[in-house]
Amino acid sequence: MITVAYSLVAYRVTGLSPATCEHCLAAVKLELIQVPGVVGVDVDPAEARVSILTDGPVDEGRVRAAMEAAGCGVVDA
């Protein structure tokens, strides 16, 4: 039997708005999907939110660095 635990984490971000172009949205997804452990990415520009699905532990620093490389900043709560 194989068991995989998935986790969904949402981030409020800067740099996204309803006017964000498809190219920029794709860039965010591309940067994040390359982070080891990230298996899915959803970008919601209307809510300025990025959600990532992981299949195990993920380095938070690498997630933030990937978002910054794509032009987004994480809003700390």
Side-chain angles (χ1 to χ4, degrees):
M1 173 184 220
I2 297 174
T3 303
V4 178
Y6 289 97
S7 178
L8 181 65
V9 181
Y11 296 88
R12 288 189 46 222
V13 297
T14 60
L16 291 179
S17 73
T20 303
C21 72
E22 289 298 319
H23 173 76
C24 293
L25 297 176
V28 173
K29 292 178 183 180
L30 179 64
E31 288 291 335
L32 285 167
I33 204 70
Q34 294 180 63
V35 174
V38 174
V39 295
V41 178
D42 181 61
V43 181
D44 183 349
E47 297 291 326
R49 184 176 57 228
V50 175
S51 301
I52 61 168
L53 181 65
T54 65
D55 65 355
V58 173
D59 183 340
E60 179 83 15
R62 290 184 82 169
V63 169
R64 288 174 179 258
M67 283 199 232
E68 288 174 10
C72 294
V74 176
V75 177
D76 291 317

